[in-house]
Amino acid sequence: MGKSAVKVYIRSRPTSLATESLRIAPDRRTVLVDLKKKEEAGPVNNQQENLTFKFESILQTTSQEGVFTQCAQEVCDNVLTGYNGTVFTYGQTGAGKTYTIAGDTNRYEQRGIIPRAIHYLFHEIDLREDREVQVRCSYLEIYNEIMYDLLVENPGTADNLVVVDEGGTVKVKGIVKAPVANEEETLALFFQGENGRSTAQHALNKSSSRSHCIFTIYLETRAGADEKVVSSKLNLVDLAGSERTKKTQVTGQTLKEAMFINKSLTFLEQTVNALSKKESHVPFRQTKLTSVLRDALGGNCKTVMIGCIWGEQSHMEETVSTLRFASRVKTLMTDAVINERNDPTLLLRKYERQIYELKQELAMRDTLSGRGRISYNDVGDLERHELHETVRKYLKGEIQLDDIAIENLKMIKETFKQFRIVYEALDAELIEQRMKGNLPRGEDAGGMQDEVDKAEAGEYEPVGDEDKEASAGFHIGEAPPNARPVEDEATEGTSLPGIFKDSSYPETPPLIGGPISDKNMAYDGYKRDVPEGQEQASKLKQLTSDLKEQKRVLRQHGIEVNKAKQEIDLCTSQLKSFRSEQGETSGENPEEQHLLQQLKAAKSAYRQAFTNLKTQRTTVEPLVQQVAETRAALVENFNVWFAGQAGETTVEDEVLELPPIEKEPDTGGEDMAEQFDRMEMERVLGEDPESGAFHNARKTLRRKKPVPAASYYGDKGRAEGVRRLEQRAARIG
Ligand SMILES: Nc1ncnc2c1ncn2[C@@H]1O[C@H](COP(=O)(O)OP(=O)(O)OP(=O)(O)O)[C@@H](O)[C@H]1O
């Protein structure tokens, strides 16, 4: 793909902009800044400054979904193709960096780029039937210039992590790259890592990141029987925010952290400046952060930066500084390539297959040309012995050169070998005879014939059986019954446990308790007897029943997706155990072929079911909206009618419109907590059938025992301890 510029987006917190200083042009790409003159700066420095910055897009009220689609989805697509990608956020403390990258990990709708990228990548991987993709992830934290592995339960000291250059690519040696089979597992690791991050409260952010964090997803993709492996990675980077410590009013440990943060961001700025001015020396090694980000800023990577800003007047200086930095980053060029290499195992498999095919081809040609039965396999013991005899007879003059039958190249080589064996035996015998003084001068040549005999009689040792196994090939007309043309191998998919439970999507639960008021009775009458009420109530009834039916279909599609996922899992695990039992196979075993076919069919069924599910959602969503609107209109009209009839009270809710309480489902021995979990899952899946992995991963995390940071994080743990003590002291004081 060659060189490409880093793409820069600006996201503003959804507060009102200080429009007298900061305006967004109608193209939604340009920011116009009008810095008011500073009276106190005197005559020299009191000029008004107008600045214009242009970026890919300015996101002001864009939703989390919108930010992912606009800024990160393309990077994910590139990573799926085989390029490395990085998305990083930059900006003043509290400006929304963590909200953008990680999002609110407790609220599905507010999830950020990381969970969305995980979902997107796994979904796309599932749809690529012809590929086998192995996924891993890591979570790195740089806190006070020390690197920590957020996925390790008990890392002890953090000394084991170092940034290294491997073949021109930056790597963090020693970091855990955890293999993950699906979205849920990856999210669970991400949430676990999030829990270990260092945060603190200050005047501008009640949960401010005190470290830089990089969540990385690694993909290794193999396509069919191709020996090529494509490796790529996606870095999702949440930088700690620059802060004016006067504004954040931090003290103690948090102040120390702020100093580390500001220092590393200054070095980042210096690095970007040097790159942007194409200076010969770029100070990447000054900090851990710039070392780790080297590829993202100017190497083998496709990079996106999201600059986060506050729009308020009081933060204008920091906002301009972020915009200036962002403009410089925009000038950086990276040089991304598809990271492709040969897999030695697959290469060997390919060569074995080629040799096999060539042998068959040769055998066929020999038959067609009337050469009869010729073997192209290695020379066996028996053939070696026969050749040795032939050579011996030839040297004795008992046979002619034409009598040595040479069928193939391997036999020519073996014949030469046998000449050498006979020669060496003779040579040794001659030397021995000479040393004993048995050999009269001038008889060397004449005695040759005898020496051949002598050497042969005593010295010949059959060559070992090193090639025994190699002779296990087949001759023409003896092809094993399972020999057949090599077919393209279908790929093994990643394991994908079903996330879509066999769930029902209950209607809104009825309100509990409370006597039915007069007003509610009037409401009932309104729907029954007043023509306007009658009409709306019957419309609502019809819509509710349509919705119920469409939700039933949606649920059915969910079940089909789930079934297909389970089938994929089953085939994948059967294939795995088959391969681990058989070791390396050439991919031609009928059982393996059968499993691969099944896997392919399951992936195809999954794709179809998923498409149906998505299509059905587009039917259900507007219906949900229509039901809500019709219901609200009915209640509102009733209120108006009722106010005209009687006193001024508000209707409780449209209690009587709700469906009757359904019979309790069979709990199948579930306890209360499990029942709650199941019902909660049914509810969230009803809202978004794709959210299962997110909620399950959160549930997994809740079940895990928290590990006290101070017990294993060394420096970081101590800092955490100091912070807690300070907070306690402040509370007591
Ligand atoms: N676009 C947004 N929409 C809604 N809430 C937002 C948005 N941006 C930020 N917030 C809220 O503002 C608060 C601070 O945001 P966040 O923690 O992401 O800032 P930050 O830039 O990461 O700060 P720090 O550098 O201190 O870690 C959070 O409560 C977050 O939910």
Side-chain angles (χ1 to χ4, degrees):
M1 195 179 260
K3 293 207 173 235
S4 58
V6 174
K7 289 189 174 173
V8 179
Y9 297 82
I10 298 295
R11 186 181 201 191
S12 153
R13 284 168 59 92
T15 46
S16 54
L17 294 182
T19 42
E20 71 278 14
S21 308
L22 193 78
R23 275 178 301 122
I24 297 169
D27 65 358
R28 313 293 305 168
R29 298 186 61 193
T30 312
V31 190
L32 306 158
V33 182
D34 182 0
L35 285 181
K36 294 277 172 293
K37 60 181 178 184
K38 290 181 184 163
E39 296 303 337
E40 73 276 12
V44 182
N45 243 343
N46 69 350
Q47 297 301 306
Q48 186 154 334
E49 204 178 349
N50 291 312
L51 303 166
T52 305
F53 301 95
K54 193 163 185 177
F55 302 101
E56 292 295 318
S57 179
I58 314 292
L59 315 162
Q60 200 199 354
T61 49
T62 316
S63 65
Q64 293 284 73
E65 169 79 26
V67 171
F68 172 76
T69 323
Q70 284 194 52
C71 311
Q73 190 168 312
E74 191 187 346
V75 184
C76 291
D77 286 330
N78 283 325
V79 170
L80 285 162
T81 311
Y83 295 100
N84 294 334
T86 295
V87 179
F88 74 99
T89 48
Y90 176 92
Q92 184 196 356
T93 186
K97 297 180 296 298
T98 307
Y99 181 73
T100 299
I101 279 285
D104 186 337
T105 48
N106 290 312
R107 285 158 67 206
Y108 177 70
E109 314 73 45
Q110 302 301 320
R111 68 204 187 282
I113 288 176
I114 295 178
R116 285 171 200 271
I118 292 171
H119 175 81
Y120 185 80
L121 289 175
F122 274 102
H123 181 236
E124 289 298 309
I125 288 167
D126 281 347
L127 297 183
R128 286 162 208 230
E129 287 175 15
D130 55 338
R131 304 198 197 165
E132 181 186 332
V133 186
Q134 282 170 356
V135 189
R136 287 164 192 271
C137 65
S138 66
Y139 207 174
L140 174 74
E141 178 180 49
I142 305 173
Y143 172 83
N144 289 1
E145 259 318 90
I146 300 176
M147 295 193 288
Y148 294 91
D149 188 337
L150 289 175
L151 297 189
V152 176
E153 284 267 311
N154 199 353
T157 63
D159 301 343
N160 58 331
L161 301 185
V162 268
V163 184
V164 292
D165 180 326
E166 237 177 66
T169 305
V170 170
K171 292 203 169 137
V172 178
K173 214 169 138 198
I175 196 158
V176 167
K177 291 184 191 169
V180 277
N182 52 41
E183 181 188 353
E184 188 181 319
E185 274 183 37
T186 319
L187 281 172
L189 287 178
F190 165 60
F191 292 148
Q192 178 193 321
E194 278 293 284
N195 271 7
R197 283 182 67 167
S198 295
T199 56
Q201 185 170 358
H202 61 59
L204 290 183
N205 191 354
K206 67 179 185 330
S207 179
S208 173
S209 311
R210 310 315 287 161
S211 56
H212 309 298
C213 284
I214 304 176
F215 186 78
T216 306
I217 304 167
Y218 309 82
L219 303 187
E220 207 168 271
T221 307
R222 290 169 173 81
D226 196 349
E227 70 282 4
K228 297 265 182 291
V229 185
V230 178
S231 314
S232 53
K233 62 180 172 181
L234 174 63
N235 296 313
L236 300 164
V237 188
D238 181 18
L239 296 183
S242 55
E243 61 187 78
R244 300 258 152 103
T245 47
K246 248 195 212 161
K247 270 190 181 176
T248 51
Q249 297 162 19
V250 290
T251 53
Q253 183 63 33
T254 318
L255 176 64
K256 185 180 159 196
E257 289 163 354
M259 284 157 72
F260 268 108
I261 293 168
N262 287 343
K263 195 168 145 197
S264 64
L265 291 173
T266 307
F267 285 137
L268 175 65
E269 214 174 317
Q270 285 176 8
T271 307
V272 167
N273 283 349
L275 279 168
S276 129
K277 289 180 197 155
K278 301 201 168 29
E279 284 174 7
S280 56
H281 175 67
V282 182
F284 284 116
R285 288 169 182 231
Q286 284 190 116
T287 57
K288 296 280 185 315
L289 179 65
T290 44
S291 309
V292 173
L293 290 184
R294 196 190 72 187
D295 288 346
L297 298 173
N300 175 13
C301 191
K302 302 207 134 274
T303 305
V304 162
M305 173 187 141
I306 305 174
C308 297
I309 57 168
W310 291 74
E312 287 87 340
Q313 186 65 45
S314 55
H315 297 292
M316 205 46 62
E317 233 177 290
E318 291 90 335
T319 294
V320 169
S321 142
T322 300
L323 293 173
R324 283 201 166 111
F325 177 79
S327 311
R328 245 168 272 133
V329 169
K330 208 180 71 172
T331 64
L332 302 186
M333 301 294 287
T334 58
D335 194 3
V337 291
I338 293 185
N339 305 296
E340 199 175 61
R341 65 184 160 84
N342 283 329
D343 180 328
T345 316
L346 291 178
L347 206 58
L348 190 68
R349 209 184 278 176
K350 180 184 160 186
Y351 290 149
E352 276 174 1
R353 209 172 5 243
Q354 275 180 358
I355 290 169
Y356 173 83
E357 282 170 346
L358 285 170
K359 277 182 184 171
Q360 277 192 318
E361 177 76 11
L362 273 172
M364 199 164 76
R365 277 170 190 268
D366 289 337
T367 307
L368 292 175
S369 64
R371 287 182 68 198
R373 187 165 131 171
I374 294 168
S375 163
Y376 292 98
N377 295 319
D378 291 340
V379 177
D381 280 351
L382 200 61
E383 286 162 309
R384 188 177 294 114
H385 179 67
E386 273 176 8
L387 267 179
H388 186 86
E389 282 298 295
T390 311
V391 166
R392 203 179 61 82
K393 281 184 186 158
Y394 172 70
L395 286 173
K396 280 165 109 178
E398 288 173 17
I399 58 168
Q400 299 304 305
L401 198 57
D402 285 348
D403 296 328
I404 305 177
I406 301 291
E407 284 179 351
N408 57 37
L409 189 65
K410 280 184 181 157
M411 286 181 81
I412 295 174
K413 285 186 179 169
E414 187 59 42
T415 308
F416 272 101
K417 235 163 124 181
Q418 294 307 323
F419 269 110
R420 188 187 209 156
I421 288 169
V422 175
Y423 167 79
E424 280 173 358
L426 269 175
D427 204 31
E429 180 68 15
L430 284 173
I431 291 167
E432 199 184 326
Q433 293 296 336
R434 232 187 252 125
M435 282 169 71
K436 285 181 186 166
N438 292 344
L439 200 65
R441 268 175 73 84
E443 282 196 9
D444 297 31
M448 183 74 163
Q449 189 65 60
D450 290 338
E451 294 308 328
V452 170
D453 282 343
K454 260 193 247 167
E456 278 311 301
E459 310 239 0
Y460 171 64
E461 291 273 345
V463 182
D465 60 357
E466 62 195 6
D467 288 323
K468 245 181 210 163
E469 283 177 18
S471 62
F474 63 87
H475 300 266
I476 191 142
E478 292 177 2
N482 64 350
R484 56 197 152 80
V486 180
E487 284 168 21
D488 275 353
E489 230 179 82
T491 53
E492 179 195 349
T494 48
S495 161
L496 292 162
I499 56 165
F500 297 101
K501 302 278 172 259
D502 179 3
S503 58
S504 63
Y505 296 82
E507 302 297 324
T508 320
L511 296 178
I512 300 164
I516 296 175
S517 65
D518 285 352
K519 189 166 181 184
N520 281 343
M521 282 172 69
Y523 179 55
D524 202 17
Y526 173 75
K527 287 187 293 181
R528 195 183 52 235
D529 303 326
V530 178
E532 180 198 37
Q534 258 178 2
E535 193 188 320
Q536 276 188 317
S538 101
K539 185 179 168 196
L540 181 61
K541 206 167 179 176
Q542 184 56 49
L543 280 171
T544 312
S545 126
D546 290 352
L547 178 61
K548 205 168 178 172
E549 171 57 17
Q550 294 307 327
K551 279 190 172 178
R552 190 195 59 74
V553 177
L554 181 72
R555 194 162 55 239
Q556 195 52 42
H557 289 317
I559 292 168
E560 276 157 22
V561 169
N562 200 19
K563 254 166 72 189
K565 266 180 174 287
Q566 281 168 355
E567 180 67 19
I568 291 174
D569 280 352
L570 185 70
C571 293
T572 307
S573 85
Q574 282 177 345
L575 204 56
K576 259 191 193 144
S577 49
F578 174 83
R579 284 178 177 167
S580 71
E581 274 166 25
Q582 302 286 317
E584 278 306 321
T585 66
S586 60
E588 283 144 12
N589 184 298
E591 197 181 330
E592 188 179 8
Q593 287 292 330
H594 179 66
L595 285 171
L596 286 167
Q597 289 297 336
Q598 273 187 331
L599 182 62
K600 209 169 176 173
K603 282 190 170 188
S604 162
Y606 172 72
R607 189 156 65 164
Q608 185 55 53
F610 198 87
T611 309
N612 293 344
L613 184 81
K614 279 206 126 167
T615 315
Q616 184 61 15
R617 272 184 67 198
T618 59
T619 310
V620 170
E621 275 161 14
L623 258 178
V624 171
Q625 183 75 10
Q626 255 179 300
V627 168
E629 281 167 10
T630 312
R631 182 172 284 163
L634 175 64
V635 173
E636 200 183 317
N637 289 345
F638 164 73
N639 271 330
V640 173
W641 172 84
F642 188 69
Q645 305 284 315
E648 257 319 307
T649 45
T650 48
V651 71
E652 292 284 318
D653 195 350
E654 146 319 292
V655 176
L656 307 175
E657 204 47 55
L658 295 165
I661 300 171
E662 280 171 21
K663 263 180 79 186
E664 274 294 308
D666 179 11
T667 61
E670 288 171 336
D671 62 23
M672 289 289 280
E674 285 165 343
Q675 267 182 55
F676 176 79
D677 275 354
R678 182 178 49 74
M679 284 165 66
E680 182 58 13
M681 185 55 80
E682 285 172 3
R683 187 188 66 74
V684 295
L685 288 180
E687 282 167 12
D688 184 346
E690 290 177 44
S691 67
F694 186 93
H695 295 293
N696 276 332
R698 291 235 35 99
K699 220 162 63 187
T700 313
L701 188 74
R702 278 200 298 274
R703 289 202 193 110
K704 274 194 175 172
K705 268 199 200 149
V707 188
S711 68
Y712 62 82
Y713 272 134
D715 253 13
K716 192 182 151 199
R718 272 193 291 282
E720 189 63 32
V722 170
R723 192 193 340 275
R724 282 182 195 155
L725 281 174
E726 276 180 355
Q727 281 171 359
R728 244 175 59 197
R731 272 201 303 275
I732 296 163

